[in-house]
Amino acid sequence: LERTETKYLAEFLKTNTTLKALTVASSNIDNTGAKYLAEAMKYNQTLYRLNLSENDQITVIGATRFSQCLKANSNLSELDLRSETENDNIGKAWFLRALEFNTNLKDFGCGEFDVGIKRFMTMESRKAMM
């Protein structure tokens, strides 16, 4: 998707009341597109699954935008940001940051740090990972 197309998609997501899952994997979305989508997710309370995997231009900068949006969005329960370009440490850091804000997140993928989140939901296990 071009940046303009990603921006239109983000505008749609802000007011969406029906779409529950969205996959835009391998769509050439970059950090700017990630910023648009993360901003939209602050307003969207319907989408529970967002797959942005294999958008190799989304770096930790773009991924961080999603940790910020999770403060306002507690409905998103599956988020996939896996990419060939990110590494385990970035994934782990982002994951911990995201859990501070959204305890509804049940499935998360980022870099090679794919996990099932249920085992990390208690505060004690979060502290143990730090």
Side-chain angles (χ1 to χ4, degrees):
L1 296 173
E2 299 292 326
R3 283 185 181 167
T4 305
E5 295 168 320
T6 306
K7 191 171 187 176
Y8 289 142
L9 176 61
E11 290 301 316
F12 162 76
L13 289 175
K14 283 183 182 179
T15 58
N16 165 61
T17 58
T18 55
L19 189 67
K20 306 287 185 201
L22 177 65
T23 296
V24 283
S26 301
S27 297
N28 295 318
I29 296 173
D30 61 8
N31 286 331
T32 301
K35 178 181 87 172
Y36 296 148
L37 293 171
E39 181 66 24
M41 292 308 298
K42 289 179 183 178
Y43 302 97
N44 183 298
Q45 296 300 312
T46 308
L47 205 67
Y48 72 89
R49 181 185 308 146
L50 180 58
N51 181 346
L52 291 163
S53 65
E54 301 310 323
N55 284 292
D56 295 340
Q57 296 177 51
I58 298 177
T59 66
V60 68
I61 295 165
T64 300
R65 301 282 187 167
F66 282 95
S67 68
Q68 296 164 357
C69 92
L70 292 174
K71 291 179 186 179
N73 185 321
S74 61
N75 288 335
L76 192 64
S77 62
E78 298 176 31
L79 178 59
D80 193 341
L81 292 168
R82 284 176 293 167
S83 171
E84 297 294 323
T85 60
E86 296 300 321
N87 66 41
D88 192 35
N89 291 331
I90 291 172
K92 184 176 179 180
W94 192 89
F95 167 73
L96 291 172
R97 179 85 173 136
L99 278 183
E100 289 178 33
F101 306 115
N102 185 321
T103 57
N104 193 42
L105 200 62
K106 303 280 188 279
D107 199 8
F108 173 83
C110 188
E112 295 181 18
F113 189 66
D114 287 343
V115 295
I117 292 181
K118 292 177 184 171
R119 65 186 173 142
F120 298 106
M121 296 318 293
T122 66
M123 195 54 121
E124 291 78 39
S125 43
R126 289 183 203 175
K127 289 177 183 175
M129 287 187 65
M130 299 178 131

